[in-house]
Amino acid sequence: MEIRVLKYFLAVAREQSFSKAAESLFLSQPTLSRQLKDLEDELGKTLFIRGGKKITLTEEGMILRKRAEEIVELVDKAEQEVKLTDEDITGTIYIGAGETHAISLIARTANKLSEQYPNIRYNFYSGDGVDVSERLDKGLIDFGVLFEPMDISRYDSIPIPIHDTWGILMLKGSPLAKKEVIEPRDLWDIPLIVSRQVEDSILSALLGKTDGLLNIKAQYNLVYNASVMVSEGMGYALCFDRLINVSGDSKLCFRPLSPTTEAVCHFVWKKYPVFTKAAQRFLEQFQQDMREYDS
């Protein structure tokens, strides 16, 4: 199975058309079709449902697409790292994180480093803790931001001094908006919108009840989407503070939970890493910045 053919496969999956994919790859359609038919023969599986206006993937095709994307991304990253010159600190630093105000500290370090090394670029991947941990383990990202209670013992880490506060995002006209803080029992019977990474143990600690005993109306991956659902009156979003602008003409407001509950996160990387010079320099700068922040 060649990397080149995997890229062909991904192009067809993306374009949902052999002709459009061939055009984007500067190949003839017969050549592309033959290459992918050979791939199907090699695997002994049908990858495409042919016919109709669009090409769709079979179940086996969807499995291959997920793995092929990871393989191609890792190969591209490896090629970029190998091609870096000895004289210059350049290249792309890959960082994965969920939605947190702690990103401001990472961005601050990145901005400071850019003044000294303008050819360094940054690729930020947004995902929940499981996504970030998986990509870190596979070498697809250099660094990650993980929240407790995730197990970070298998990584080297730096605790991030900025903590996010749990609370409720709601319409300013909501009955609960009249309160300065929200108590768990206020949320037991109302429609809630929660992050998909909030497990029952977290819900129990925050609200005193688990998923099955709460009125979970919807789940979200990005808090912006949650804010839209709140704006449309779907419910109340359980989220962190400072992620959505609730000032000025915003229809929304945020109220912290009582008792105050903060989420602690850590900047992590694999033990015994093989870093590019850019990633190593970023880590050194971030460690220095965190020491200065704490002092």
Side-chain angles (χ1 to χ4, degrees):
M1 189 184 305
E2 299 180 30
I3 298 299
R4 170 180 54 82
V5 178
L6 288 180
K7 291 181 177 180
Y8 294 170
F9 166 77
L10 290 174
V12 174
R14 181 178 62 251
E15 300 291 347
Q16 297 182 307
S17 164
F18 279 95
S19 60
K20 290 182 179 179
E23 184 178 348
S24 70
L25 295 166
F26 302 101
L27 292 173
S28 68
Q29 185 173 333
T31 298
L32 178 61
S33 297
R34 184 174 63 255
Q35 293 280 340
L36 294 179
K37 183 63 172 63
D38 289 345
L39 177 62
E40 290 180 315
D41 292 342
E42 178 184 349
L43 296 173
K45 297 290 184 180
T46 300
L47 302 174
F48 301 101
I49 299 174
R50 296 164 171 86
K53 294 183 178 180
K54 291 184 177 181
I55 299 295
T56 56
L57 296 178
T58 63
E59 183 177 351
E60 292 79 8
M62 288 187 283
I63 293 172
L64 180 61
R65 179 178 187 172
K66 184 178 188 301
R67 297 306 176 195
E69 287 174 341
E70 294 173 352
I71 291 169
V72 170
E73 186 176 350
L74 191 57
V75 168
D76 289 344
K77 187 172 183 289
E79 288 179 351
Q80 181 190 78
E81 291 171 356
V82 170
K83 290 177 181 177
L84 296 179
T85 64
D86 292 333
E87 295 79 14
D88 299 327
I89 295 183
T90 184
T92 302
I93 298 170
Y94 296 81
I95 302 173
E99 295 176 294
T100 168
H101 190 62
I103 288 293
S104 62
L105 295 182
I106 296 172
R108 193 174 303 171
T109 294
N111 187 46
K112 182 183 296 184
L113 208 61
S114 292
E115 295 177 1
Q116 188 175 1
Y117 306 106
N119 291 325
I120 293 180
R121 298 181 64 185
Y122 297 88
N123 185 310
F124 283 89
Y125 170 81
S126 296
D128 60 27
V130 174
D131 296 333
V132 170
S133 182
E134 181 178 322
R135 294 179 74 85
L136 193 60
D137 293 342
K138 291 178 178 178
L140 297 174
I141 56 177
D142 300 306
F143 306 104
V145 176
L146 296 178
F147 288 91
E148 295 181 3
M150 283 201 70
D151 179 17
I152 63 168
S153 61
R154 67 180 187 273
Y155 304 114
D156 284 329
S157 64
I158 302 171
I160 296 181
I162 287 183
H163 297 166
D164 296 285
T165 300
W166 283 103
I168 301 297
L169 187 69
M170 68 188 85
L171 289 167
K172 287 180 177 177
S174 301
L176 290 183
K178 299 176 183 178
K179 305 187 68 171
E180 293 186 2
V181 295
I182 304 299
E183 298 178 29
R185 62 175 176 270
D186 295 328
L187 305 172
W188 287 354
D189 299 314
I190 64 174
L192 293 176
I193 301 166
V194 302
S195 169
R196 69 174 189 178
Q197 64 181 317
V198 174
E199 302 175 352
D200 272 356
S201 60
I202 299 177
L203 281 175
S204 180
L206 292 175
L207 306 183
K209 288 189 177 184
T210 56
D211 189 340
L213 300 175
L214 293 165
N215 180 12
I216 305 295
K217 190 75 172 180
Q219 290 184 310
Y220 66 88
N221 184 35
L222 298 174
V223 73
Y224 174 77
N225 292 338
S227 72
V228 173
M229 288 186 269
V230 173
S231 295
E232 295 301 322
M234 284 186 62
Y236 298 73
L238 177 66
C239 62
F240 293 146
D241 62 341
R242 297 179 292 187
L243 297 182
I244 296 295
N245 183 10
V246 294
S247 62
D249 296 333
S250 173
K251 297 167 54 178
L252 307 178
C253 64
F254 180 90
R255 298 291 183 267
L257 293 179
S258 178
T260 300
T261 306
E262 294 183 330
V264 179
C265 61
H266 300 261
F267 186 77
V268 304
W269 61 96
K270 292 173 69 174
K271 292 184 177 181
Y272 315 111
V274 180
F275 280 143
T276 62
K277 289 184 178 180
Q280 182 62 45
R281 184 66 190 89
F282 181 88
L283 177 58
E284 293 167 354
Q285 184 64 56
F286 189 71
Q287 289 172 320
Q288 178 182 332
D289 290 347
M290 292 304 96
R291 287 193 294 268
E292 293 175 357
Y293 189 94
D294 289 333
S295 62

